[in-house]
């Protein structure tokens, strides 16, 4: 682009010189007008042919923006790596890191002041590429397919008796919820209810 602009300006200047000869040395006013007109045209052409700011910067800026947007989208989606991390003192006085989607679920559930209470262990690997972390009042399980959910109380006991995430019910797909007369947690392959102080496992 710059080379084209230079050649165009040179052409305009040459045109002005030719025009000056054509009008003759005796017609100074006309010659001056022609030269000024040619200079103006050359300047306008040069300006119009300059590359824009986006052309000079290339596409690197756009790529960076796209990467930043992708990172924000991943964080918002609740997938592994989202939610940041924090350290929380357990009942034994030791600090435990709570991070990612487990932290997001823990925070949404009320954190240390909720029935979950403080963490009692570090995050551990779970079957099938998942993760879990123990808290005073329950446990949070996560995997990429089912996301993070809380399991606690009598329902947790019944689920673990069935083999937990490796058992026939698989991973939790909901937090514990209210049902008439009691509570229920849903799992990949069934659900468990706690009604009238009685726990019932209901496979699909």
């Amino acid at each position: 682009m710059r080379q084209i602009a230079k050649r165009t300006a040179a052409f305009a200047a040459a045109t002005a010189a030719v025009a000056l000869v054509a009008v003759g040395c005796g017609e100074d006013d006309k010659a001056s007008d022609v030269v000024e007109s040619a200079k103006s045209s050359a300047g306008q052409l040069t300006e119009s042919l300059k590359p824009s700011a986006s052309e000079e910067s290339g596409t690197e800026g756009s790529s960076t923006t796209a990467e930043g947007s992708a990172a924000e989208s991943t964080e918002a989606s609740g997938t592994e790596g989202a939610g940041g991390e924090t350290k929380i003192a357990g009942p034994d006085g030791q600090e435990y890191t709570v991070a990612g989607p487990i932290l997001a679920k823990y925070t949404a559930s009320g954190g240390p002041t909720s029935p979950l209470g403080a963490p009692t262990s570090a995050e551990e690997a779970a079957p099938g590429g998942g993760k879990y972390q123990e808290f005073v009042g329950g446990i949070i399980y996560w995997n990429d397919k089912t996301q993070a959910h809380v399991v606690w109380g009598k329902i947790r006991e019944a689920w673990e008796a069935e083999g937990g995430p490796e058992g026939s019910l698989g991973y939790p797909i909901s937090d514990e919820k209210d049902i008439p007369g009691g509570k229920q947690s849903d799992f990949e392959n069934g659900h468990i209810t706690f009604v009238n102080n009685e726990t019932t496992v209901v496979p699909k």
Side-chain angles (χ1 to χ4, degrees):
M1 278 295 186
R2 291 187 180 92
Q3 293 300 322
I4 293 172
K6 287 178 180 178
R7 288 197 296 268
T8 303
F11 174 77
T15 302
V18 171
L20 183 60
V21 172
V23 298
C25 296
E27 298 179 85
D28 292 336
D29 292 339
K30 287 185 179 180
S32 177
D33 290 344
V34 171
V35 170
E36 287 304 316
S37 176
K39 284 182 179 179
S40 175
S41 297
Q44 291 171 4
L45 283 167
T46 302
E47 286 300 317
S48 68
L49 290 171
K50 282 184 178 179
S52 65
S54 61
E55 287 174 331
E56 289 183 342
S57 63
T59 58
E60 185 177 353
S62 298
S63 298
T64 303
T65 302
E67 289 169 5
S69 298
E72 291 172 5
S73 177
T74 299
E75 188 168 347
S77 71
T79 57
E80 185 175 11
E85 67 175 46
T86 189
K87 289 185 180 293
I88 300 173
D92 58 0
Q94 183 176 342
E95 285 194 333
Y96 296 99
T97 297
V98 188
I102 289 180
L103 173 60
K105 173 57 70 175
Y106 180 58
T107 302
S109 300
T113 60
S114 74
L116 277 172
T120 59
S121 72
E123 183 181 276
E124 301 283 350
K131 296 182 184 297
Y132 73 91
Q133 191 160 8
E134 290 267 9
F135 298 86
V136 171
I139 196 166
I140 298 176
Y141 267 87
W142 171 92
N143 75 13
D144 190 50
K145 178 182 176 183
T146 60
Q147 300 303 303
H149 297 289
V150 178
V151 190
W152 51 19
K154 295 295 183 180
I155 288 179
R156 176 186 175 183
E157 291 177 13
W159 177 57
E160 290 179 342
E162 292 291 319
E166 291 185 290
S168 59
L169 291 173
Y171 272 85
I173 59 172
S174 78
D175 297 330
E176 187 178 275
K177 57 191 177 183
D178 293 327
I179 60 171
K183 304 285 186 180
Q184 176 177 315
S185 283
D186 298 326
F187 299 86
E188 291 178 286
N189 301 308
H191 64 268
I192 299 175
T193 61
F194 180 69
V195 178
N196 297 326
N197 293 319
E198 185 175 326
T199 305
T200 305
V201 177
V202 183
K204 281 184 179 179

